[in-house]
Amino acid sequence: MKWLAALLGIAVLGVAGFLVFAQRAPDLVLSASKSLAPDSSEAPAPNPLRNAYFGELHSHTSYSLDAKVFGNELGPRDAYRFAKGETVPLGNTGLQRRIDQPLDFAAVTDHAEGMGLLSQCHTPGSGVYWTMDCIGVRYRILLMFPRLFKFATQSGAQGATYHPNTCGDKGADCIRAARSVWEDNQNAANEHYQPGKFTTFIGFEYSPTLARGGMLHRNVIFRGANVPPGVFGSIDGFVEDLMRWLDTQCTGTCQAMAIPHNPNFSWGLMFGDTNSNASPVTRESLQLRAKYERLVEVFQAKGSSECMVGVGSTDEECAFENLFPACSAAEAAIDPKTGIHAPQCVSENDMVRNVLKRGLAAERTLGFNPYKFGFVGGTDNHNGLPGDTDETTFQGHAAPNDASPELRLGIKQTLVSKSLGLRPGGINPGGLTGVWAEQNTRESIWDGLKRRESWGTSGTRIRARFFAGYDLPANLHQQADLVTVGYARGVPMGGDLQAAPAGKSPRFVAWATRDAHSAPLQKLQVVKGWVEGDTTREQVYDVACSNGLRPDPKTHRCPDNGATVNLKDCSISQDRGAPELATTWTDPDFRPGVSAFYYLRVLENPVCRFSQRDALALGIPLPEGIAATVRERAWTSPIWYTPH
């Protein structure tokens, strides 16, 4: 009777699939090739002053269960081909995509959760091939979406579970099947690694889900080809368990980092006052997190996690790509059973700048800073298109669910877009990661990320330098040997300034150049955070203005440079802004006995946001509540000042 049950399942799901325009998904075809050693060709000689490299540390292919159900047909090899500049298809839309500027490095970070299920469901004869779950996966039946992902949900002490109908006793079948997917992902990265030309990193995403879509996700990035034999997902444990797993499974020449993303989507728990299972936080768990979590994704498709007006900040530039509104006082209250506040709003623990300030305060009692984060940016692209951030040609992140202007603006919706509950036009093209490294190799770029000499962007390729030191010349930004002196007599972004010598204040050197494919630069800002008594503080200083303008000494703000955008054709001012901005700056409020952090924020002139271009393409007014313009930007990793 097994065949009869299968036929009934096909009939029921087939009708559902027809109702949501489901299509048969191609089988998940893993490469038959054995693991290949990375390209051993000699890379160019390293540059001791380091080069700027741009890349992507957060992208998904058809090896991620959600991406596969959405309609993604590209595997890891296709993703790396795209990152290197080749043309690939956009899901099953019939559209083609090609990145205008190839990336220097990329990591495919498919969800650990679901790798085994995908393999089981695309392997004829697996024993579960004809179950309803597997039919739903293969035919991309979107009505199955909530069912397929509910098992990855964590709530308080309640952990996630394996799919009971497809994974066998204690998930043994899926654990075994996941290894073939993981091995093929490694093979793809090794095959496309070209030292000196293009760097690939082996990685995966640990993806626990909270109530109403909240996330505690981490992208795990390995330095080299020596990695654990399996992956670790939410089904295997909580965040603290992931850190212990890395500590015991990634040994010898294996090195790893875990990069939190979307704290704006974590309902207060990612950097809250409890462990991820709502148990009391411990010194051990914070130490392990500080060891592996040296970076945080400050920007991606689901918005900015830097800061928000009214949520610990009054900085007007914090009103940038905020996906959710601020929580009310009642909504911000933490449920002691789950450790989260009300879903779909933002509280202070959800914004990175506030977390950096909390780290300074925590260091007083712990003796170490548990939240000493450098910055990166990413896309979270689910189309298999790493680094696809062009605002002018954006085609969405989850084809076919947002592959048209009508879908991106919310004029039309799919079952997936409805179930996610995101506001129309809220998703953006995403960001990129910049890093200063001696050469384009795994070792050099990973080491640059580890020392936090990195910056995140909102999608453009702004280059930025940020140094601090006590013996830097007052005009260093005007000198040809700026970088040489910066390294020799100061510390770069991500570094630490020790106690100030008597009578001295540190000087900061800020430098940035524009992306030639985007708008000119408008200004440079230094963002400072510190602790005063029991209160955390922050201040934003405009330190360099375009068009010969100067910051007001009282407000610390540049006058408006007059840059405009023509919303009828998206043309921008040609005589406003600068190709390069630089300055040497001293904190007018420096106090040698007070711990602080400083980071550089670089702002471009405004341009049309993709949403305005979508409205123009449809010949309609932009729907109310959706931004027409965007000021692309970059955030460097902080420099920390410690007086002891």
Side-chain angles (χ1 to χ4, degrees):
M1 299 295 291
K2 184 177 179 180
W3 62 272
L4 181 59
L7 285 176
L8 288 172
I10 293 172
V12 172
L13 291 175
V15 172
F18 176 76
L19 292 175
V20 295
F21 306 102
Q23 298 181 19
R24 172 69 160 82
D27 283 337
L28 192 75
V29 180
L30 304 183
S31 171
S33 63
K34 295 182 180 179
S35 180
L36 299 176
D39 185 339
S40 59
S41 58
E42 189 173 342
N47 173 12
L49 298 182
R50 297 169 183 157
N51 306 309
Y53 296 112
F54 287 95
E56 166 79 283
L57 298 171
H58 189 180
S59 64
H60 297 273
T61 74
S62 60
Y63 288 16
S64 285
L65 181 58
D66 54 352
K68 185 72 172 178
V69 174
F70 290 163
N72 186 354
E73 298 172 3
L74 301 182
R77 291 168 181 80
D78 300 307
Y80 292 130
R81 287 174 44 230
F82 175 81
K84 292 192 286 187
E86 295 187 36
T87 300
V88 299
L90 177 64
N92 58 353
T93 64
L95 302 173
Q96 300 285 311
R97 294 294 289 166
R98 182 178 180 274
I99 194 169
D100 288 338
Q101 303 177 76
L103 299 179
D104 298 308
F105 63 92
V108 168
T109 53
D110 284 315
H111 297 295
E113 301 78 4
M115 281 188 184
L117 176 65
L118 270 173
S119 180
Q120 289 272 86
C121 289
H122 287 87
T123 304
S126 67
V128 296
Y129 189 80
W130 290 109
T131 61
M132 292 181 68
D133 283 344
C134 283
I135 293 170
V137 169
R138 287 199 305 279
Y139 284 84
R140 292 196 292 251
I141 297 172
L142 300 183
L143 288 174
M144 296 288 289
F145 186 80
R147 170 181 169 81
L148 291 171
F149 292 95
K150 73 176 182 178
F151 299 103
T153 300
Q154 296 178 346
S155 179
Q158 178 64 49
T161 59
Y162 283 97
H163 292 72
N165 299 328
T166 54
C167 290
D169 185 41
K170 297 181 180 179
D173 294 342
C174 284
I175 293 172
R176 182 172 55 253
R179 294 203 170 189
S180 62
V181 179
W182 175 230
E183 288 171 1
D184 196 57
N185 212 317
Q186 297 171 54
N187 291 346
N190 288 336
E191 291 164 18
H192 283 269
Y193 177 34
Q194 299 171 281
K197 298 178 181 177
F198 180 71
T199 290
T200 60
F201 289 105
I202 298 169
F204 67 87
E205 183 176 321
Y206 166 78
S207 312
T209 302
L210 305 173
R212 290 184 63 187
M215 304 174 185
L216 294 179
H217 299 189
R218 269 79 173 167
N219 290 313
V220 178
I221 308 295
F222 295 96
R223 185 175 188 262
N226 181 19
V227 302
V231 294
F232 189 96
S234 59
I235 300 162
D236 303 302
F238 294 96
V239 170
E240 295 73 26
D241 300 313
L242 168 66
M243 303 304 155
R244 297 185 191 101
W245 180 82
L246 287 173
D247 221 39
T248 58
Q249 298 300 308
C250 185
T251 58
T253 59
C254 177
Q255 295 186 56
M257 63 179 70
I259 305 175
H261 69 81
N262 282 122
N264 66 326
F265 224 117
S266 71
W267 313 159
L269 184 55
M270 183 172 284
F271 303 119
D273 298 321
T274 68
N275 288 323
S276 58
N277 63 359
S279 65
V281 70
T282 65
R283 181 184 181 87
E284 178 235 2
S285 67
L286 289 176
Q287 284 179 317
L288 270 180
R289 286 179 60 172
K291 177 180 179 180
Y292 290 103
E293 296 184 348
R294 298 178 63 83
L295 300 168
V296 65
E297 192 178 87
V298 72
F299 186 84
Q300 63 128 281
K302 294 191 288 294
S304 171
S305 292
E306 182 204 5
C307 55
M308 189 174 190
V309 175
V311 184
S313 299
T314 58
D315 171 10
E316 64 276 9
E317 293 300 338
C318 292
F320 175 71
E321 295 292 344
N322 298 136
L323 186 60
F324 299 113
C327 295
S328 66
E331 290 173 328
I334 297 295
D335 180 342
K337 292 183 179 180
T338 62
I340 68 173
H341 60 60
Q344 309 257 328
C345 67
V346 173
S347 72
E348 289 200 15
N349 287 348
D350 300 320
M351 291 287 109
V352 170
R353 189 189 295 177
N354 294 331
V355 176
L356 291 175
K357 291 183 288 188
R358 290 183 63 219
L360 296 177
E363 188 171 15
R364 293 178 170 184
T365 55
L366 293 172
F368 68 94
N369 185 339
Y371 304 127
K372 204 168 187 179
F373 296 122
F375 294 164
V376 296
T379 63
D380 199 5
N381 184 290
H382 278 60
N383 290 331
L385 307 177
D388 189 17
T389 61
D390 190 340
E391 201 84 40
T392 65
T393 63
F394 182 50
Q395 293 288 345
H397 284 301
N401 298 287
D402 58 355
S404 72
E406 294 91 342
L407 288 167
R408 289 189 291 274
L409 297 180
I411 297 168
K412 294 181 179 179
Q413 285 190 303
T414 68
L415 191 66
V416 169
S417 61
K418 287 180 181 178
S419 67
L420 293 176
L422 302 178
R423 62 180 173 81
I427 299 297
N428 69 80
L432 293 173
T433 292
V435 61
W436 291 104
E438 291 82 359
Q439 56 188 161
N440 191 348
T441 63
R442 284 177 171 173
E443 297 79 11
S444 187
I445 291 177
W446 197 92
D447 290 349
L449 293 168
K450 184 179 179 181
R451 67 175 175 265
R452 309 184 186 95
E453 200 173 352
S454 62
W455 66 102
T457 84
S458 59
T460 60
R461 303 194 185 195
I462 297 169
R463 284 170 168 77
R465 294 269 197 183
F466 194 44
F467 291 99
Y470 298 109
D471 297 313
L472 300 180
N475 66 340
L476 181 56
H477 66 286
Q478 298 172 325
Q479 297 183 11
D481 59 354
L482 182 161
V483 177
T484 301
V485 174
Y487 281 125
R489 297 165 63 179
V491 298
M493 63 180 80
D496 291 278
L497 270 179
Q498 300 307 314
K504 284 201 170 187
S505 296
R507 286 194 175 114
F508 296 84
V509 180
W511 170 90
T513 59
R514 67 171 289 188
D515 179 345
H517 297 270
S518 188
L521 303 182
Q522 184 186 61
K523 60 183 176 181
L524 306 183
Q525 300 180 305
V526 172
V527 179
K528 176 186 178 182
W530 73 98
V531 180
E532 193 171 284
D534 295 327
T535 305
T536 59
R537 306 282 190 187
E538 65 176 58
Q539 178 67 54
V540 179
Y541 303 87
D542 289 5
V543 296
C545 317
S546 63
N547 298 100
L549 302 170
R550 294 181 178 276
D552 184 298
K554 294 182 179 179
T555 64
H556 307 295
R557 291 292 182 271
C558 294
D560 190 328
N561 72 350
T564 60
V565 181
N566 184 333
L567 297 182
K568 294 181 180 180
D569 61 11
C570 289
S571 59
I572 62 174
S573 304
Q574 297 299 318
D575 60 345
R576 302 286 90 187
E580 178 179 353
L581 289 173
T583 190
T584 305
W585 175 79
T586 301
D587 178 3
D589 305 306
F590 177 72
R591 288 187 286 171
V594 178
S595 296
F597 64 79
Y598 301 83
Y599 63 85
L600 179 66
R601 186 169 63 189
V602 185
L603 297 180
E604 295 183 5
N605 284 343
V607 296
C608 272
R609 193 172 182 265
F610 78 88
S611 44
Q612 178 63 20
R613 292 181 181 275
D614 280 347
L616 290 174
L618 294 175
I620 64 171
L622 186 65
E624 187 176 351
I626 301 179
T629 63
V630 61
R631 276 202 290 179
E632 306 285 9
R633 59 197 63 195
W635 306 262
T636 72
S637 293
I639 292 173
W640 286 267
Y641 169 73
T642 305
H644 49 76

